[in-house]
Amino acid sequence: MGSHSAESMDFCASGSRFWRIEAGLVAGRQQIIIHAGFHRCASTAVQDMLRARRTAIEATGTALLLREDLQGWLTGRQLRLLYRHQDDSLVSSLRLKLVASMLQRIRADRIVISEELLLGLMPGVRDPGFYPHFGNFMRAMKRLAKSFDVDLRLVARRPDRFLESAYAFRVRQGLREAFPDYVARIGEQDVSWLRLVREVERAGLTANTRFTCLESWPKERAGHAVLEFLGLDTVAGDTPIKLSGNPSWSADRLQATLEAPLQVAFTDVERTAFLSRLTADNAAFLAHPMVNAPADAWRD
C-alpha cells in the first residue's frame, strides 16, 4: 500500500457508523464488486445477510457498502445516480469523477457494493419499460472500469414471478390498480432479461459481468451460493445460511389491501401465453456464458 496523508478526508455515513476514507491510501487498481439488484430478486435478503456478516467481511480486508453507506451527496449518492449516465454529458463526467474519488479513498483493495437502486427505480414506478436505464448504467460501468477492476453481479428471476412480486410490493407501497394495468405500463414486450444481457455485450463488459437466477439457489445453502457469487465464500463457514427478505403477500391479502375485486396476478391462460412469448429469450438467457444457472432453472 502507498503512503497517505491525513489531509483530504471524507466520511460516508452508515447510521451511527462511519467509513473512514483517506486520500491516496491505496496504490494500484482496486477490485470493485457490484451487486446491483435487481429489485424483487432477493436483494433485501442478500443485503441483510451481508450486513449480519459485515465484521467477518471487513476482517478479510474487504470494504462493504450497502444503502446506508451511500448517503453522502458528494460520495455514495453519486454512485446511485449513475443510471442517468450519458457519455457526452459534463454532469455525468463530474459524477463519475466523484464516484471514482470516493472509491479510491476507501481503505481497502476490494470493495463490495450491494444496492438495487443503482439501476434506478423499480419498473413501473415512473418510467415505462423494463429497466430502461440499464444501458446508461452499463456505459457508466465501462468508464469506471478504466480506473478499477469492476465486476458486476446481477440476480434475475423468472419474468412472470418478477412482475407479480414487483406488483405486490407496489400495492404494499400504495398502488391501487389491477395487475394487468401495472404490467401494461411497463410493457410486456420489454420484459426480457436477454435484452439486458445484450446491453452488457454492447458495453463490452461480458468478461466483467455475471448473472445468476434466484430460482437456482439451493434453499438450505442459498447464503453460501450468494457469498460465492460475490467472491466472499471465505466468510461463509460450514453452517447453512438461509436468506430471509421481505415476506410475500397472498392474493387474499392483496385483495383486502386494494379494497376492490381487482386482478392481482396472471391468470393461468395469461401466464402460459406470456411465458410462451419469452420461450426463446429465456432459453438464450439461461444458456448465455455470462449466466450462472442451469438451463431448467425456470421450469415449474
Side-chain angles (χ1 to χ4, degrees), residues 1-2 25-31 104 108-109 147-149:
M1 287 195 179
L25 188 61
V26 179
R29 289 169 67 91
Q30 292 164 289
Q31 182 187 23
Q104 288 166 346
D109 292 323
S147 303
F148 304 91
D149 292 328

Side-chain angles (χ1 to χ4, degrees), residues 138-169:
M138 293 308 305
R139 285 186 287 274
M141 292 297 101
K142 182 177 182 178
R143 295 277 296 273
L144 201 64
K146 293 179 180 180
S147 303
F148 304 91
D149 292 328
V150 175
D151 292 309
L152 299 173
R153 299 294 178 260
L154 304 166
V155 182
R157 187 176 189 176
R158 205 174 85 172
D160 57 327
R161 293 170 180 156
F162 174 91
L163 289 174
E164 289 173 336
S165 181
Y167 170 75
F169 181 84

Side-chain angles (χ1 to χ4, degrees), residues 178-199:
F179 176 71
D181 296 326
Y182 171 76
V183 173
R185 192 163 64 252
I186 296 173
E188 285 190 28
Q189 71 279 1
D190 289 328
V191 185
S192 169
W193 298 110
L194 183 63
R195 181 180 62 80
L196 304 188
V197 163
R198 299 302 183 220
E199 292 283 7

Side-chain angles (χ1 to χ4, degrees), residues 21-299:
I21 301 173
E22 300 183 12
L25 188 61
V26 179
R29 289 169 67 91
Q30 292 164 289
Q31 182 187 23
I32 313 296
I33 301 173
I34 301 178
H35 166 234
F38 300 90
H39 301 88
R40 311 312 301 157
C41 295
S43 294
T44 298
V46 169
Q47 288 151 15
D48 286 347
M49 186 263 292
L50 293 175
R51 189 177 291 110
R53 287 160 180 77
R54 187 188 284 270
T55 300
I57 291 169
E58 291 176 355
T60 69
T62 298
L64 178 64
L65 299 181
L66 303 176
R67 182 171 300 180
E68 60 267 25
D69 305 300
L70 300 174
Q71 300 301 319
W73 177 254
L74 294 179
T75 53
R77 179 69 182 275
Q78 299 307 314
L79 181 64
R80 290 173 58 184
L81 292 173
L82 287 182
Y83 70 91
R84 297 180 181 178
H85 178 80
Q86 298 295 327
D87 283 338
D88 59 351
S89 165
L90 291 176
V91 172
S92 293
S93 294
L94 176 59
R95 179 171 291 133
L96 272 171
K97 288 181 180 179
L98 289 169
V99 169
S101 178
M102 175 195 76
L103 296 173
Q104 288 166 346
R105 293 176 182 177
I106 293 178
R107 186 175 182 171
D109 292 323
R110 181 172 66 168
I111 303 170
V112 173
I113 302 168
S114 182
E115 164 63 294
E116 64 270 29
L117 287 178
L118 297 178
L119 302 176
L121 295 176
M122 184 182 297
V125 176
R126 253 180 224 162
D127 301 316
F130 187 66
Y131 290 104
H133 305 296
F134 188 74
N136 298 337
F137 178 75
M138 293 308 305
R139 285 186 287 274
M141 292 297 101
K142 182 177 182 178
R143 295 277 296 273
L144 201 64
K146 293 179 180 180
S147 303
F148 304 91
D149 292 328
V150 175
D151 292 309
L152 299 173
R153 299 294 178 260
L154 304 166
V155 182
R157 187 176 189 176
R158 205 174 85 172
D160 57 327
R161 293 170 180 156
F162 174 91
L163 289 174
E164 289 173 336
S165 181
Y167 170 75
F169 181 84
R170 295 305 307 158
V171 170
R172 296 203 296 270
Q173 299 299 310
L175 181 69
R176 294 297 179 265
E177 67 180 7
F179 176 71
D181 296 326
Y182 171 76
V183 173
R185 192 163 64 252
I186 296 173
E188 285 190 28
Q189 71 279 1
D190 289 328
V191 185
S192 169
W193 298 110
L194 183 63
R195 181 180 62 80
L196 304 188
V197 163
R198 299 302 183 220
E199 292 283 7
V200 177
E201 292 174 336
R202 278 190 281 273
L205 291 175
T206 55
N208 310 64
T209 306
R210 293 293 177 269
F211 287 79
T212 191
C213 299
L214 173 63
E215 293 86 353
S216 70
W217 296 342
K219 288 186 178 180
E220 292 301 319
R221 297 187 64 83
H224 286 79
V226 172
L227 289 171
E228 182 178 354
F229 187 59
L230 298 179
L232 297 172
D233 44 302
T234 57
V235 305
D238 297 325
T239 305
I241 303 172
K242 293 184 179 181
L243 297 181
S244 179
N246 295 317
S248 59
W249 277 25
S250 67
D252 289 343
R253 188 171 183 184
L254 289 172
Q255 290 281 6
T257 302
L258 290 167
E259 299 179 347
L262 300 178
Q263 183 179 337
V264 297
F266 285 107
T267 65
D268 291 343
V269 171
E270 289 170 344
R271 188 184 309 279
T272 298
F274 175 71
L275 291 175
S276 178
R277 290 192 291 272
L278 286 172
T279 297
D281 276 15
N282 286 346
F285 172 78
L286 292 171
H288 197 281
M290 276 191 289
V291 180
N292 180 23
D296 62 351
W298 288 343
R299 292 179 187 167

